[in-house]
Amino acid sequence: MTETAVTDTLRVPDALLHYEVRGRGPLVVLAAAPMDARSFEPLADLLAADHTVLTTDPRGIYRSQVDDPDADATPELRADDLARLIRHLDVGPAAAVLGSSGGAVSVLALAQAHPGLARTVIAHEPPLDQLVADREDLLRRTDEMVATYLSGDPLGAWRQFMAIADIDMPDEVVERMFGGERSAQDLADERFQYEHMLRPTVRWVPDLDALRSASTRIVVGIGEDSGGELCERTSEALARGLGVEPTRFPGGHVGFAEDPRRFAVRLREVLGEG
């Protein structure tokens, strides 16, 4: 059964956040970046059977408006947004905060800056380029990719994105996804991602000592189908730095959207282990 989401907005410093709440029970927060709350809808519906589930559009994306469209949406700002949303709901500390991709970096920043606000933080495939040996090459290629986008070649930038991420996607699929007609909102979100979200995310360096000593349980998630991809390498490096074993989840980088039912089962297992 599809849960009816209660939607609202919250004014935070320099932004107006769109958020959605489903269900009743212990609080679970689902966060992505640059993907918006829609990507989590099927998973949120499943979890809402016995949880209060909070989803949100990250600042600058879709329905979450920023006062200054030229300001970067850093992991620290996104973490502060999540902390304000959790406190605004006023249902106590989150049982779990799950972040995917750039959202995984957001939730790690949340665990650092707001210890105790979540009992478990699950960082699913954070693109922490600074943790791997070829960091300088990755950051150089990222700068080149952003320059390609800003030169007016978004399709070329997406091809570079897939190459950097070691995601094997046929060129015709890339062209179909990013080269055809798209809505003005999709194009605006894409531009914000390339201009103001991507580089602050991949350049962020976690404070491993703070995360290891935090009362919050940190889980590093990796998709079962993500073998050989960059985010598998960065996630494994994070797990080594924290002294924990990575936790495998169904699917690939966006397994929560590809197969939400299997992902929900695994997520419940992981929460039960805490």
Side-chain angles (χ1 to χ4, degrees), residues 84-239:
R84 290 174 185 273
L85 284 167
I86 291 169
R87 293 188 174 111
H88 175 69
L89 289 187
D90 195 27
V91 294
V97 179
L98 166 70
S100 176
S101 192
V105 181
S106 306
V107 303
L108 289 168
L110 175 74
Q112 282 185 196
H114 304 275
L117 198 55
R119 288 194 285 273
T120 298
V121 162
I122 303 170
H124 186 267
E125 300 207 0
L128 297 170
D129 292 2
Q130 296 277 26
L131 296 187
V132 293
D134 54 337
R135 63 183 70 86
E136 293 302 326
D137 183 58
L138 289 170
L139 297 177
R140 175 188 60 79
R141 293 169 67 194
T142 296
D143 286 343
E144 291 175 351
M145 173 184 61
V146 172
T148 297
Y149 182 85
L150 296 178
S151 74
D153 183 12
L155 189 55
W158 280 111
R159 290 189 179 108
Q160 289 172 280
F161 181 96
M162 297 302 170
I164 293 169
D166 294 314
I167 294 175
D168 184 16
M169 183 176 291
D171 191 62
E172 59 270 20
V173 177
V174 176
E175 188 162 350
R176 185 168 63 249
M177 291 176 64
F178 305 110
E181 288 293 321
R182 288 185 291 158
S183 71
Q185 185 64 60
D186 286 344
L187 293 173
D189 291 348
E190 176 185 83
R191 175 164 287 275
F192 190 84
Q193 146 78 348
Y194 273 99
E195 287 189 341
H196 299 297
M197 187 176 285
L198 197 154
R199 280 187 288 196
T201 297
V202 301
R203 290 178 178 273
W204 190 75
V205 181
D207 184 336
L208 296 176
D209 289 336
L211 291 173
R212 279 193 298 263
S213 62
S215 59
T216 301
R217 171 189 173 219
I218 309 293
V219 176
V220 181
I222 304 177
E224 293 172 344
D225 300 334
S226 297
E229 295 178 4
L230 172 60
C231 281
E232 181 185 55
R233 292 200 291 124
T234 58
S235 299
E236 289 176 341
L238 174 64

